[in-house]
Amino acid sequence: MPFIEFLFKPKNELEKGGRQSVQIASADENEPSKPCPNCRKMVPLSQLWANHNTCECGYHFRMNARQRINFICDTDTFSEWDAGVVSRDILDFPGYITKLENTRNACGESEAVICGRAKIEGEDCCIFVMEPYFMMGSMGTVVGEKITRTFERAMELGLPVVGYTVSGGARMQEGILSLMQMAKTSGAVKRHSDAGLFYLTVITDPTTGGVTASFAMEGDVILAEPGALIGFAGPRVIEQTTRKKLPAGFQKAEFVMEHGFVDAIVPRSTQKATIAQLLRMHTGGERVG
Amino acid sequence: MAKNTVSKAYDRVKLARQNGRPTGVDYIENIITDFIELHGDRNYADDEAIVGGIGYLDGKPVTVVAIEKGRNSKERVAHNFGAPHPEGYRKALRLMKQAEKFRRPVICLVDTSGAYCGIGAEERGQGQAIAQCIVEMMALKTPSVSILIGEGGSGGALALAVADRVWMLENAVYSAISPEGCASILWKDSSKAEEAAESLKLTASDALALGVIEEIIPEQELGKESFYEKLRVKLSREFRELTSMDVDQLVQHRFERFRNLGVPDMGGKK
């Protein structure tokens, strides 16, 4: 499938004309389709799926964690760790148990991250992929523990880690213990790094708060998806606090790269090949082909 | 739980935020002698929300890094109400790495409603600056004690609280989000902050029970000479113990301390 280069500067959702899904459309009558928030065309679902949830204009739609694993890992190479572990209501937080149950039922995942071991174009690695549809990828103790264990196992196995981040930050229903997961995961990243092993992060839309302020920004190489929102504080909070108009493209991946905090922006069309190449370059492998 | 406990957590939030409560600089003036303030992150600017430098604790050199809210309105503006920018965290890290080089213990005094939330802060990598502080403090080859003296607001507080010992004042609070923020996100109603404060378990006794801190510093004599005197003695004693440890062992203990926080039951499928 041809992929048109990502040439435009995505708008911040607070800018005029940013992120409104206005349906303008003349879609194929017979096929279900979805409006693109960027070019506003109706994208037929079959085309969307064939392009890994991206529109021809370059817009990257959100992707759930299983889709990502299927898309990035070689067929049948992914073996999951700590599957099915569920969070407990440690603090007796009002409504948390119900929220967890509802989310599990709606999303089909047990928690906001999936971890395991896989091959990417034949390169052996450990991988964690956060789930945007599970409480917006918020980090509680289970997420923190699973990611920490991924780095610990990667150390034992002498393998690199590939991490896909998407998160609204710390999970407030787990209070201070969710904050502590920033320190716990950072400690694990540090040990893995001190062992001379490679850690690659791919930041996807949106990654904010405690995840940005810990393992998302700790990779040896930090990639981002086009148009992904990357920040510590969210744009709405900043606008409310400062009462200033946010600059064009504020906190978008392109903006964050311009300011020096992301190594490269890699669209899904070339993501797998880029990750595999970086893995190869860090594991002593020779150039293939 | 009885109704009166509901107001309790929020009462502490109010106390932790109260003007007139001793700030970082008060602690430095009363506990540390011959303090020399060191400015700047060597990259961009000097962030006055963080005051750092070297002084003596009981005759031994220490590095002190304090988030400073300011004691009057003029000072509060100058110190940006204790909301650090990335350059503040980078200054803090520079001073801690310097302490490591010269084997000086590090004291962090934490008092912030959170890292500054603004355009410049984001442009200069607030998240990256905090992440780097956390990683480097975790591996710092010198003893460290962090004291939460007022507000411990989220990642902006944690950035300076990855220490060998973390203490909290009796009325200090430590939380992933402000009770107001929590109430407005969860219940779309910031007036439910009291309820949120209770649910978030953000008091010193909660933090102690959860293993997040080692000790609570009583506040009966807060701000008096005797208060600082006791704290000075306590810090001295703690550093005597910590400096006697092998440095690799010290770092290992620190790592395990944080590794073991909030370990869920990973028993298997449900």
Side-chain angles (χ1 to χ4, degrees):
Chain A
M1 269 283 174
F3 187 90
I4 293 168
E5 275 297 313
F6 196 78
L7 290 171
F8 68 99
K9 195 144 191 174
K11 286 184 172 175
N12 185 285
E13 56 191 274
L14 293 167
E15 285 169 52
K16 209 173 173 218
R19 284 244 181 139
Q20 300 158 344
S21 30
V22 182
Q23 302 211 7
I24 301 182
S26 57
D28 186 348
E29 302 292 313
N30 306 317
E31 211 193 335
S33 52
K34 195 172 170 178
C36 171
N38 180 56
C39 69
R40 314 222 176 145
K41 278 187 194 144
M42 293 303 285
V43 192
L45 290 190
S46 61
Q47 193 191 321
L48 196 66
W49 292 332
N51 285 324
H52 314 297
N53 263 9
T54 59
C55 175
E56 277 188 330
C57 74
Y59 181 80
H60 281 49
F61 284 88
R62 213 159 274 175
M63 208 177 198
N64 72 39
R66 292 282 163 197
Q67 280 179 311
R68 271 196 196 281
I69 287 168
N70 289 335
F71 148 64
I72 214 75
C73 302
D74 298 347
T75 314
D76 295 330
T77 60
F78 178 72
S79 58
E80 190 172 348
W81 291 327
D82 303 318
V85 175
V86 293
S87 292
R88 286 181 308 127
D89 184 15
I90 338 165
L91 302 185
D92 268 331
F93 201 97
Y96 186 37
I97 286 282
T98 322
K99 174 106 187 158
L100 281 171
E101 273 169 18
N102 292 345
T103 308
R104 278 199 297 269
N105 292 335
C107 158
E109 296 296 342
S110 61
E111 252 300 334
V113 71
I114 300 173
C115 306
R117 183 178 172 171
K119 285 188 198 293
I120 298 173
E121 286 190 2
E123 297 299 314
D124 217 353
C125 65
C126 300
I127 183 165
F128 69 85
V129 181
M130 299 186 82
E131 172 57 69
Y133 297 104
F134 195 103
M135 296 179 77
M136 200 52 249
S138 65
M139 174 162 64
T141 53
V142 170
V143 171
E145 182 71 18
K146 282 176 84 168
I147 290 172
T148 301
R149 283 180 170 216
T150 304
F151 280 95
E152 289 170 349
R153 284 172 175 148
M155 259 179 85
E156 284 165 24
L157 297 163
L159 289 176
V161 173
V162 174
Y164 272 88
T165 66
V166 53
S167 180
R171 189 174 297 171
M172 49 192 161
Q173 290 90 341
E174 294 188 25
I176 190 73
L177 286 178
S178 66
L179 190 71
M180 293 301 131
Q181 303 311 304
M182 292 167 68
K184 188 206 265 183
T185 51
S186 297
V189 172
K190 175 74 177 157
R191 303 220 135 185
H192 181 261
S193 174
D194 286 349
L197 297 167
F198 180 56
Y199 170 35
L200 172 75
T201 47
V202 188
I203 305 185
T204 71
D205 183 61
T207 296
T208 59
V211 168
T212 300
S214 62
F215 56 86
M217 281 289 163
E218 290 164 4
D220 294 298
V221 173
I222 302 174
L223 305 179
E225 282 199 338
L229 179 89
I230 306 167
F232 179 60
R236 267 190 201 85
V237 183
I238 295 171
E239 200 165 63
Q240 279 161 14
T241 314
T242 61
R243 295 194 178 124
K244 279 184 195 152
K245 199 174 149 37
L246 301 176
F250 182 62
Q251 289 185 321
K252 292 288 169 187
E254 295 72 11
F255 177 95
V256 178
M257 185 169 83
E258 234 170 73
H259 285 86
F261 294 96
V262 159
D263 286 296
I265 293 170
V266 185
R268 281 180 205 151
S269 55
T270 56
Q271 222 168 71
K272 184 169 176 171
T274 308
I275 292 173
Q277 190 188 333
L278 280 164
L279 287 174
R280 235 171 265 134
M281 284 169 159
H282 286 88
T283 47
E286 298 281 308
R287 188 170 183 275
V288 178
Chain B
M1 283 279 164
K3 206 75 204 176
N4 64 340
T5 58
V6 173
S7 59
K8 253 186 183 166
Y10 200 67
D11 285 346
R12 291 198 201 270
V13 173
K14 283 193 250 176
L15 280 171
R17 291 172 179 169
Q18 204 167 54
N19 289 341
R21 191 180 170 82
T23 65
V25 168
D26 291 313
Y27 287 77
I28 294 174
E29 283 174 3
N30 286 284
I31 293 175
I32 305 297
T33 52
D34 302 316
F35 182 74
I36 299 174
E37 189 177 351
L38 303 173
H39 295 272
D41 72 341
R42 299 294 187 270
N43 274 302
Y44 179 76
D46 182 44
D47 182 0
E48 290 192 60
I50 291 184
V51 172
I54 316 168
Y56 290 111
L57 174 75
D58 272 343
K60 296 207 174 71
V62 291
T63 288
V64 188
V65 175
I67 304 182
E68 173 61 27
K69 280 188 173 175
R71 293 172 288 197
N72 52 51
S73 47
K74 199 178 156 200
E75 277 187 17
R76 278 191 275 276
V77 170
H79 293 284
N80 198 29
F81 303 87
H85 278 75
E87 47 274 22
Y89 292 108
R90 294 189 180 115
K91 168 168 74 175
L93 183 57
R94 177 176 79 84
L95 297 180
M96 289 192 279
K97 292 301 278 183
Q98 186 186 68
E100 177 182 64
K101 177 178 173 185
F102 297 102
R103 291 287 153 93
R104 279 194 293 271
V106 174
I107 301 170
C108 290
L109 299 159
V110 179
D111 187 13
T112 181
S113 58
Y116 187 67
C117 155
I119 295 167
E122 293 292 323
E123 286 176 334
R124 298 194 292 279
Q126 189 71 282
Q128 190 271 346
I130 293 171
Q132 205 182 3
C133 259
I134 294 172
V135 167
E136 296 296 338
M137 271 196 96
M138 185 70 84
L140 203 68
K141 288 182 182 253
T142 194
S144 54
V145 173
S146 289
I147 313 174
L148 287 109
I149 58 173
E151 278 187 282
S154 191
L158 177 70
L160 297 181
V162 186
D164 296 310
R165 302 284 184 267
V166 184
W167 299 341
M168 261 176 100
L169 263 74
E170 193 182 331
N171 291 317
V173 293
Y174 198 7
S175 178
I177 187 168
S178 73
E180 292 80 6
C182 176
S184 77
I185 294 171
L186 278 188
W187 303 308
K188 315 275 174 237
D189 184 358
S190 58
S191 68
K192 286 193 176 169
E194 286 197 9
E195 211 178 317
E198 203 60 43
S199 305
L200 283 167
K201 306 277 194 296
L202 44 63
T203 68
S205 50
D206 292 322
L208 187 69
L210 293 166
V212 171
I213 60 165
E214 275 78 22
E215 279 189 61
I216 299 174
I217 313 281
E219 285 193 18
Q220 293 93 316
E221 299 164 338
L222 182 69
K224 295 189 181 138
E225 209 177 305
S226 55
F227 170 80
Y228 293 115
E229 172 64 17
K230 279 179 192 160
L231 191 57
R232 183 180 58 76
V233 171
K234 196 173 165 55
L235 277 166
S236 269
R237 201 188 306 131
E238 200 64 49
F239 281 129
R240 260 202 305 281
E241 197 193 308
L242 293 171
T243 39
S244 72
M245 281 173 79
D246 171 68
V247 86
D248 292 329
Q249 218 185 343
L250 183 81
V251 174
Q252 176 70 20
H253 281 180
R254 190 189 308 141
F255 170 78
E256 280 165 13
R257 178 198 187 282
F258 287 93
R259 173 64 187 85
N260 296 327
L261 283 175
V263 178
D265 174 17
M266 303 294 279
K269 295 193 177 196
K270 264 194 181 173

